[in-house]
Amino acid sequence: MLTKRIIACLDVKDGRVVKGVQFIDLVDAGDPAELAARHALSGADEIVLLDITATHEERGTLIDTVKRTARRLFVPFTVGGGIRTLDDATAVFDAGADKVSVNSAALRRPELIDEIGSRFGAQAVIVAIDGRRSGEGAEVFIEGGRKATGRAVVEWAREAEQRGAGEILLTSMDADGTRAGFDCELTAQVSEAVCIPVIASGGAGNAAHFSDVFLRGKADAALAASIFHFGIADARVLKEEIARAGVAMRLPC
Amino acid sequence: MITVIDYKAGNLTSVVKALRAVSAHVTVTEDPEVVRHAEKIVLPGVGHFAATEFLETRGIKAAIVERIAAGVPFLGVCVGLQWLFSGSTEAPGMPGLGTFDAVCERFAEGRKIPHVGWNSLSVRGDSRLLAAVPDGSFLYFTHSYRAPVTNGTVAVTEYGGPFTAAAEKGNVMGVQFHPEKSGVTGLRILRNFVELPC
């Protein structure tokens, strides 16, 4: 049986893991390579590394971080943040990533999805969408949540799918950093609108939040950062609790 | 020495790294002459079945056929497994190797495609590749086309019906999942291949 995935996300700035609370306050949480390996050993099904500064001058630092992290990792590894061109994506794949996540650049130039997909395969392209509730639906934001685009989340998710995205990573900006639970309604809206897997992100605080987003939010995977880092929850313990709520999990892991 | 074939389909980094992690000596090549001297061959691949045309046009396929006939162990991963079948509806008219006489098809609508994530194996029949891999083990999959179950199938996975997760016929083997991305279970399978007598 296909299991639901628990994805550990490392937000990285200047080669160190940090975690934004609603995209603003940053606290140093450690070395990316070491944390990624620890999460994988403790049962995380995948690792995502998001470079949250990603200005052009810092690309070298990122590539080095990706190399060091990939070296010790034998689970799927996604890298996102600042990927603007096919060349940026190629450099990250060459450094050992299995998938890339694209966000702002794909909204500005949607052909980027087609380009990466046709070179590396649809399974290698995740389109990340930051959404904030607005009326019945939600609006897409870019540049780390700083800029509204006027586009509807569901409509952009559908376009990303048509262009060959393999997965959608949906972050609820309303829920992000609150530890009060995922936005299950928004996740279900997107999951039902597309045929590709949807990864829910933003708001994880306890095991019940995860089972909720799988059962009610129809997510195929869920991502969490802050909940893992400070020893709040071990992935294995977390997964055992989610499994008890009736969700298929990879156990033992 | 394991010869990993570079046919420009996705990236090879992960497969090479995982093989080295289980102590294999690895060489990466797109040269049919190098393939003709291979002791063991791995054909990785994510992406489109049409990418296997490269094997045909560069003369790599002929070299692989020769080595397989000489008894060299061969492992195909993902599209590399599908290539062991007679073809795929993903690229109609482009023949596979035909070790297994059936055609790969896209998953039927009605569920999320691609099939992405950790799914379980039902091991059936004897397999050198899956030695010491317990029934029900989880492996990482990511694909939109699947190989049907044939008489060479040694492990089945369910996703809207059963498909071939692993196939084996003598020295020819293939896995639909990604052993290089499947944690310790995946590394166990690669080690089994690396330790096969040449």
Side-chain angles (χ1 to χ4, degrees):
Chain A
M1 179 190 264
L2 181 65
T3 55
K4 301 288 188 180
R5 288 170 283 154
I6 300 296
I7 303 177
C9 179
L10 309 173
D11 288 356
V12 171
K13 185 175 186 293
D14 304 326
R16 298 288 293 177
V17 176
V18 296
K19 170 55 191 169
V21 177
Q22 280 162 345
F23 293 100
I24 301 165
D25 301 321
L26 302 176
V27 182
D28 191 77
D31 176 58
E34 192 188 316
L35 278 167
R38 203 195 298 164
H39 287 319
L41 276 179
S42 85
D45 295 311
E46 292 190 40
I47 304 294
V48 172
L49 192 153
L50 282 182
D51 187 18
I52 61 168
T53 45
T55 61
H56 237 67
E57 305 79 70
E58 285 156 346
R59 297 309 289 177
T61 314
L62 174 68
I63 295 303
D64 179 61
T65 304
V66 171
K67 270 188 195 152
R68 285 199 306 116
T69 307
R71 198 175 295 148
R72 298 166 60 183
L73 218 48
F74 297 102
V75 299
F77 179 38
T78 300
V79 174
I83 292 168
R84 296 178 180 89
T85 64
L86 181 60
D87 284 349
D88 290 343
T90 303
V92 165
F93 284 122
D94 286 347
D98 302 298
K99 320 182 199 184
V100 297
S101 155
V102 291
N103 191 332
S104 308
L107 264 150
R108 289 201 197 90
R109 204 175 62 81
E111 298 75 23
L112 181 62
I113 301 169
D114 310 62
E115 290 165 12
I116 302 173
S118 54
R119 171 71 182 83
F120 293 97
Q123 83 297 324
V125 191
I126 297 180
V127 172
I129 304 177
D130 295 338
R132 173 169 282 162
R133 290 280 199 116
S134 163
E136 292 291 288
E139 183 181 358
V140 181
F141 280 68
I142 54 171
E143 293 174 8
R146 286 186 291 271
K147 190 174 167 191
T149 63
R151 292 199 66 174
V153 168
V154 164
E155 180 249 332
W156 171 233
R158 283 203 179 110
E159 180 179 342
E161 175 182 31
Q162 278 159 11
R163 288 186 178 276
E167 295 176 75
I168 299 287
L169 166 55
L170 175 67
T171 300
S172 158
M173 293 171 59
D174 303 296
D176 194 55
T178 62
R179 300 192 191 183
F182 294 92
D183 187 338
C184 292
E185 289 72 25
L186 179 60
T187 308
Q189 261 184 31
V190 175
S191 189
E192 282 167 355
V194 295
C195 293
I196 54 178
V198 172
I199 305 162
S201 161
N206 60 42
H209 293 151
F210 284 91
S211 43
D212 220 26
V213 82
F214 290 133
L215 297 170
R216 220 154 50 78
K218 302 190 164 74
D220 301 285
L223 180 133
S226 54
I227 186 173
F228 287 137
H229 287 169
F230 303 101
I232 294 167
D234 177 80
R236 190 184 320 269
V237 176
L238 179 69
K239 288 169 84 176
E240 282 166 358
E241 266 194 66
I242 297 168
R244 275 196 288 277
V247 179
M249 287 277 117
R250 176 174 66 105
L251 287 166
C253 49
Chain B
M1 178 71 84
I2 308 245
T3 302
V4 175
I5 294 173
D6 181 5
Y7 62 113
K8 313 302 169 193
N11 79 40
L12 300 168
T13 320
S14 296
V15 171
V16 171
K17 192 181 59 165
L19 284 167
R20 288 190 173 133
V22 296
S23 308
H25 295 285
V26 179
T27 180
V28 175
T29 189
E30 55 184 277
D31 179 353
E33 283 315 307
V34 175
V35 177
R36 281 206 168 80
H37 296 96
E39 297 166 343
K40 271 180 194 166
I41 300 171
V42 171
L43 183 69
V46 283
H48 203 281
F49 193 86
T52 60
E53 188 176 12
F54 188 91
L55 302 174
E56 201 106 31
T57 55
R58 295 297 185 96
I60 300 169
K61 184 179 182 178
I64 291 174
V65 170
E66 269 177 39
R67 293 314 281 158
I68 286 175
V72 162
F74 177 96
L75 175 63
V77 175
C78 194
V79 173
L81 160 83
Q82 296 179 8
W83 185 69
L84 296 174
F85 284 69
S86 44
S88 170
T89 56
E90 189 174 23
M94 189 171 298
L97 197 63
T99 308
F100 305 107
D101 185 21
V103 174
C104 301
E105 290 179 331
R106 194 173 161 87
F107 283 111
E109 303 296 323
R111 58 196 54 76
K112 295 294 179 91
I113 303 173
H115 169 229
V116 180
W118 298 75
N119 203 332
S120 53
L121 291 188
S122 298
V123 179
R124 45 164 79 172
D126 279 337
S127 164
R128 291 191 289 168
L129 190 62
L130 301 179
V133 174
D135 191 47
S137 293
F138 288 102
L139 285 307
Y140 183 79
F141 292 81
T142 176
H143 57 128
S144 300
Y145 287 75
R146 91 279 179 283
V149 177
T150 72
N151 55 10
T153 300
V154 291
V156 166
T157 292
E158 287 280 338
Y159 192 63
F163 66 87
T164 292
E168 192 169 323
K169 188 176 176 183
N171 53 324
V172 181
M173 304 164 191
V175 292
Q176 179 61 64
F177 50 83
H178 287 273
E180 74 281 11
K181 289 285 130 192
S182 295
V184 289
T185 311
L187 293 178
R188 169 80 243 181
I189 291 166
L190 290 177
R191 187 185 299 277
N192 286 344
F193 182 75
V194 168
E195 290 176 354
L196 286 174
C198 288

